[in-house]
């Protein structure tokens, strides 16, 4: 049995929080008193197990949307309107169903589900404790607190372990690893939920493994950055030597040390942290509300962010699917082909510029539009499929980015920061602070790096509005399947105003090119009721329900 599977079985004895365990039986690392965690090899192996405990090891889940990278992240991409679905498992068709679509002829295609508005659906149907594991809003919360508990477990044990060789370097790597993933987990909680819980205790150190002190989403982001800064501070004192490399190789599975993945140097890792901190500012602030100080902070962070040659945290599949299944482990895998769980959105295809090789190398037109179960939605109808570039005869140009490859190890998943994201955040900050040409040059840089084959836009005298549109469309295309699409929709105000001049199909396949998509999605989800029911907020807690209504 593969090493990661052994870890998942040997270390997943108890729920990440007793409050949810009886209802959903979440599995996660064992108690911090385990003898395995008192040895160097055991602690490093436990750290490698983060890939399972943080992103796969929720016992009860629905196999159609799947684990974290296909299911929880699928929610993001559905609401970000890069994919759609008429599959009803765990209510995913309703997660990404707009309130209405207005076609070119004035026909209004309403959400056919009941309730007919997503906010009502979430509060009346989905986010209710009695729905158990059918609560779509629960999974990202559960995975991230699984990950946080695993990080707490290492931090609880690391100073009591005797290490061989350069002990301080090994301890430093393990601590940085833990603070990095804590910062990552809190970033995701604070970027998705209206409130969260700060918990620095490992399961077993407190009576319930958690606490009822709910804090605001803003406080969660502050705590995320605090942990990211703690990791960066440790990394500033580390240098690459044999023990640094060996520890990192012990933490990162070999199949994730391929392509852009690998053993990050301390400097590379610090740059990934800076990019994550820039993301935390950008995606949690409405673009219309961004201040000069925030743009300046993003410029500072991205100037010191991920570089083109840096290794970053990536994930890949292997033949046994220990971290990701080749065909079903990612949103990309579950979108590939004509009859998969997810379908390519017409609005995504609309965002490719004419002649973009990323479009022709990765997407194909269907022989006839996919209409599917019209009683389950109004916006998933599509003429497009995602090509498996791992299939013989469909390899495409090697110089162009691959959006799908369902061979084992074929698809590269970006788990956190990436060079393209860094540069596009920097470009956005430049464009919004009067340096349009410098920002456009970075958009050209990203397109060139991905093999788009497009003419440069820098030096073409674009207006501010035109430059912002280049940035908007490039984030949609250049950061596809990187779990950023919903954040962008939210901060651009599209959840409220809708998308105008959109391409959409009627239920008979007639194409509209000037449609309006009225989304009406909840911008930050309420705390899952599965949590509230077993871990009620203590007096003084922040509100756990978003006041936004239809």
């Amino acid at each position: 049995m593969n090493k990661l599977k052994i870890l998942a079985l040997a270390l997943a004895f108890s729920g990440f929080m007793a409050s949810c365990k009886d209802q959903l039986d979440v599995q996660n690392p064992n108690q911090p008193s385990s003898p395995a965690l008192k040895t160097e090899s055991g602690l490093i192996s436990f750290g490698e197990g983060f890939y399972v405990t943080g992103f796969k090891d929720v016992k009860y889940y629905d196999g159609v949307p799947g684990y974290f990278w296909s299911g929880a992240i699928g929610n993001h991409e559905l609401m970000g309107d890069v994919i759609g679905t008429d599959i009803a498992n765990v209510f995913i068709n309703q997660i990404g169903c707009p309130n209405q679509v207005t076609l070119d002829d004035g026909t209004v295609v309403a959400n056919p589900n009941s309730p007919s508005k997503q906010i009502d659906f979430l509060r009346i149907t989905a986010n209710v404790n009695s729905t158990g594991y059918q609560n779509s809003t629960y999974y990202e919360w559960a995975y991230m607190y699984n990950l946080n508990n695993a990080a707490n477990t290492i931090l609880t044990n690391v100073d009591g372990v005797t290490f061989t060789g350069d002990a301080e370097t090994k301890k430093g790597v393990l601590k940085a690893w833990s603070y990095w993933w804590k910062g990552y987990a809190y970033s995701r909680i604070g970027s998705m939920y209206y409130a969260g819980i700060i918990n620095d205790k490992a399961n077993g150190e407190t009576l319930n493994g958690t606490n009822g002190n709910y804090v605001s989403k803003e406080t969660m982001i502050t705590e995320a950055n605090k942990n990211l800064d703690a990791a960066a501070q440790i990394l500033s004192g580390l240098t690459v030597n044999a023990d640094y490399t060996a520890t990192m190789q012990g933490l990162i599975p070999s199949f994730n040390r391929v392509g852009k993945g690998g053993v990050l140097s301390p400097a590379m890792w610090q740059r990934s942290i800076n990019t994550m901190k820039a993301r935390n500012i950008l995606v949690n602030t409405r673009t219309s509300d961004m201040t000069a100080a925030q743009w300046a902070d993003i410029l500072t962070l991205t100037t010191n962010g991920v570089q083109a040659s840096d290794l970053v945290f990536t994930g890949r599949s292997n033949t046994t699917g220990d971290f990701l299944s080749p065909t079903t482990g990612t949103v990309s895998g579950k979108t590939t082909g004509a009859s998969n769980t997810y379908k390519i959105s017409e609005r995504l295809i609309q965002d490719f510029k004419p002649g973009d090789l990323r479009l022709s190398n990765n997407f194909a037109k269907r022989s006839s539009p996919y209409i599917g179960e019209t009683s389950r939605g109004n916006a998933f109808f599509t003429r497009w499929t995602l090509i498996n570039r791992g299939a013989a005869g469909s390899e495409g140009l090697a110089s162009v980015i691959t959006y799908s490859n369902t061979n084992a190890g074929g698809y590269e998943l970006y788990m956190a920061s990436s060079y393209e994201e860094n540069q596009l955040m920097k470009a956005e900050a430049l464009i919004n602070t009067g340096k349009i040409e410098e920002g456009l040059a970075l958009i050209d840089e990203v397109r060139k790096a991905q093999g788009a084959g497009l003419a440069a836009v820098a030096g073409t005298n674009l207006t501010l509005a035109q430059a912002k549109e280049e940035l908007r469309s490039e984030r949609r295309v250049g950061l596809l399947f990187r779990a950023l699409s919903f954040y962008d929709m939210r901060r651009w105000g599209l959840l409220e105003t809708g998308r105008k001049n959109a391409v959409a199909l009627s239920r008979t396949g007639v194409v509209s090119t000037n449609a309006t998509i009225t989304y009406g999605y909840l911008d930050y989800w309420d705390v899952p009721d599965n949590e509230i029911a077993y871990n009620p907020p203590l007096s003084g807690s922040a509100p756990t329900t978003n006041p936004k209504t239809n």
Side-chain angles (χ1 to χ4, degrees), residues 29-236:
N30 57 330
Q31 304 291 343
S33 59
S34 168
L37 298 175
K38 306 303 181 184
T39 67
E40 175 182 329
S41 61
L43 206 60
I44 293 172
S45 294
F46 181 85
E48 185 189 34
F50 282 21
Y51 288 92
V52 173
T53 57
F55 303 102
K56 188 176 180 180
D57 194 22
V58 172
K59 181 177 179 182
Y60 289 115
Y61 77 106
D62 190 282
V64 174
Y67 296 111
F68 182 82
W69 291 109
S70 59
I73 297 305
N75 289 333
H76 284 255
E77 307 295 21
L78 286 164
M79 294 188 294
D81 200 8
V82 298
I83 57 173
T85 188
D86 56 350
I87 301 296
N89 297 60
V90 201
F91 304 113
I92 56 174
N93 65 305
Q94 297 185 63
I95 289 290
C97 187
N99 287 354
Q100 66 180 43
V101 177
T102 305
L103 303 176
D104 287 0
D105 63 2
T107 300
V108 175
V109 185
N111 180 339
N113 299 290
S114 180
S116 62
K117 294 184 178 181
Q118 192 227 42
I119 294 178
D120 292 336
F121 151 72
L122 290 175
R123 290 179 172 154
I124 296 171
T125 305
N127 189 16
V128 180
N129 181 54
S130 59
T131 64
Y133 65 88
Q134 294 292 314
N135 182 357
S136 307
T137 73
Y138 161 77
Y139 286 95
E140 187 166 359
W141 177 278
Y143 281 115
M144 289 302 97
Y145 279 108
N146 252 12
L147 181 60
N148 181 66
N149 182 66
N152 289 342
T153 300
I154 283 185
L155 293 171
T156 297
N157 286 276
V158 64
D159 285 326
V161 172
T162 300
F163 290 87
T164 60
D166 187 347
E168 291 308 307
T169 289
K170 291 179 178 179
K171 285 184 180 181
V173 170
L174 284 165
K175 289 180 179 180
W177 181 256
S178 300
Y179 284 122
W180 157 257
W181 288 117
K182 277 179 68 69
Y184 177 92
Y186 285 158
S187 295
R188 295 208 66 91
I189 293 292
S191 298
M192 192 63 182
Y193 297 94
Y194 198 69
I197 297 169
I198 296 170
N199 183 16
D200 294 331
K201 299 293 186 181
N203 188 34
E205 287 191 286
T206 59
L207 179 62
N208 293 321
T210 185
N211 65 73
N213 297 309
Y214 292 83
V215 300
S216 69
K217 61 186 188 298
E218 292 82 7
T219 301
M220 289 303 302
I221 294 299
T222 298
E223 188 69 13
N225 291 334
K226 173 184 172 182
N227 280 275
L228 293 172
D229 287 340
Q233 180 62 39
I234 293 167
L235 291 165
S236 68

Side-chain angles (χ1 to χ4, degrees), residues 69 73 76 180 184 187-188 191 221 225 228 272-285 290 297-298 301-302 313 414-418 421-422 425 475 479 482-484 487-488 490-491 524:
W69 291 109
I73 297 305
H76 284 255
W180 157 257
Y184 177 92
S187 295
R188 295 208 66 91
S191 298
I221 294 299
N225 291 334
L228 293 172
S272 272
I273 288 170
N274 288 333
T275 298
M276 278 293 294
K277 290 178 65 179
R279 178 198 291 185
N280 280 344
I281 298 171
L282 191 74
V283 306
N284 290 294
T285 311
M290 287 287 290
D297 286 342
I298 287 174
L301 289 164
T302 55
F313 291 98
Y414 287 89
M415 298 177 66
S417 312
S418 69
E421 182 189 3
N422 188 84
M425 288 193 292
R475 280 188 66 91
L479 303 178
R482 302 191 190 182
L484 297 167
Y487 296 154
D488 283 346
R490 179 177 66 198
R491 68 189 184 90
Y524 287 85

Side-chain angles (χ1 to χ4, degrees), residues 321-339:
D322 299 297
F323 174 51
L324 300 172
S325 162
T327 56
T328 63
T330 62
V331 172
S332 167
K334 281 189 172 287
T335 310
T336 302
S339 59

Side-chain angles (χ1 to χ4, degrees), residues 425-477:
M425 288 193 292
K426 186 176 182 181
E428 188 168 355
L430 289 166
I431 289 169
N432 280 279
T433 53
K435 298 180 179 179
I436 293 176
E437 289 300 322
E438 291 180 43
L440 291 173
L442 293 180
I443 294 174
D444 289 336
E445 183 181 306
V446 169
R447 289 171 173 169
K448 182 178 180 180
Q450 294 191 345
L454 293 171
V457 291
T460 60
N461 298 313
L462 297 187
T463 65
L464 175 60
Q466 290 171 326
K468 287 181 177 180
E469 174 57 20
E470 292 290 337
L471 185 281
R472 184 203 66 80
S473 64
E474 187 54 35
R475 280 188 66 91
R476 296 270 293 169
V477 170

Side-chain angles (χ1 to χ4, degrees), residues 248-272:
M248 287 291 285
Q249 288 176 337
L251 293 170
I252 302 173
S254 59
F255 50 80
N256 285 350
R257 288 185 264 119
V258 180
K260 295 300 295 183
V263 174
L264 286 69
S265 69
M268 290 178 185
W269 200 344
Q270 286 175 292
R271 289 193 286 270
S272 272

